[in-house]
Every structure is written in structure tokens, then in C-alpha cells.
Amino acid sequence: MIFKKDFSYCFDENACQKCGGKCCIGDSGNIFASKEELKKLREYLGLNKEEFALKYLRKVGFKMSFKEIEFEGGFACIFFDPINRNCSIYDYRPMQCRTFPFWEYFKTHKEELKKECIGITYLS
């Protein structure tokens, strides 16, 4: 179980094996990454900046977000592996993904989090 200060829930990371990637699929959204995270991922994939950006990124304001693909009536992160139903770049995933489900947003949107993550247990 993972506990984070100031959160009313904990997270059982073992639940990810049974989940099917709910945190990577669903409604359309943004998956932001820092310049350093993008650089590491680009190097891991062996692509130059232009190839990487064209294939995997879209500009959202002043930031870059991973593209999405249509998946099961909704969307999935372009790095979601639909066969294994998990992240294909797990070791290179951005901070936004690494910190899930401990986002400030979910402190006040607990019902949404319960629907999205089977690994959540609320503290009494």
C-alpha cells in the first residue's frame, strides 16, 4: 500500500495487474511531459526530435501532450499497449503518470477516482 501525506486514501499498486489500464484509457485528455522527460523517452525510442514529435506529440498551449488513439469507444494514451493492457513505456512515463492516483484533483473528486482506479482504499 502506498500512502501520501494529506490524502484520505491509499493505493494498492498490486491492483494494477487486474485493472486493465483504466488510468490510461477513457475520455480524451492531456498527458503532459516535461522537456527532460520527453528527451529521455525520445532517446530511449531512438528518434530525433522531429520524428518523435510528429509520431507521438501534440501541442496544447505552451506544453506538449502525448497523442491519443481511439480505443474501445474512447481514447487511450498512444503508449498504451492494448494487448497487455498496460504502459509500453513504463520506465519512461512522465511525472503525471508516476504520481497517479495522488493528484490534487482527486482530493475533491473521490467518486471519479473510485471509478477510475480499483486500487484505492479510503482511510477511516
Side-chain angles (χ1 to χ4, degrees):
M1 287 290 207
I2 298 174
F3 301 87
K4 294 283 183 182
K5 184 181 178 202
D6 299 327
F7 285 84
S8 63
Y9 54 87
C10 57
F11 170 62
D12 178 1
E13 66 273 25
N14 295 314
C16 295
Q17 296 168 353
K18 297 177 243 166
C19 164
K22 285 177 140 184
C23 59
C24 300
I25 60 176
D27 294 337
S28 182
N30 295 311
I31 307 115
F32 293 117
S34 70
K35 287 181 183 179
E36 185 59 32
E37 290 169 332
L38 293 174
K39 181 179 183 234
K40 285 180 183 177
L41 179 56
R42 180 176 53 80
E43 289 171 352
Y44 166 71
L45 295 172
L47 299 172
N48 67 39
K49 278 185 177 183
E50 293 77 24
E51 291 172 313
F52 179 71
L54 187 62
K55 189 169 184 176
Y56 296 111
L57 302 177
R58 63 185 174 87
K59 192 168 175 66
V60 179
F62 294 104
K63 296 179 180 181
M64 298 304 286
S65 175
F66 293 156
K67 289 181 177 179
E68 296 173 305
I69 55 172
E70 290 186 17
F71 183 74
E72 295 182 346
F75 296 89
C77 172
I78 195 163
F79 293 108
F80 180 70
D81 177 343
I83 305 299
N84 296 308
R85 297 189 71 92
N86 61 16
C87 179
S88 67
I89 57 158
Y90 189 82
D91 291 336
Y92 295 90
R93 70 195 190 285
M95 187 60 65
Q96 178 178 334
C97 300
R98 289 177 188 272
T99 58
F100 181 86
F102 296 101
W103 296 347
E104 288 296 314
Y105 175 82
F106 288 130
K107 284 183 174 180
T108 57
H109 294 84
K110 293 176 183 172
E111 290 305 312
E112 186 176 340
L113 178 59
K114 274 175 89 171
K115 289 178 189 172
E116 191 163 328
C117 184
I118 64 171
I120 297 300
T121 302
Y122 287 95
L123 306 172
S124 39

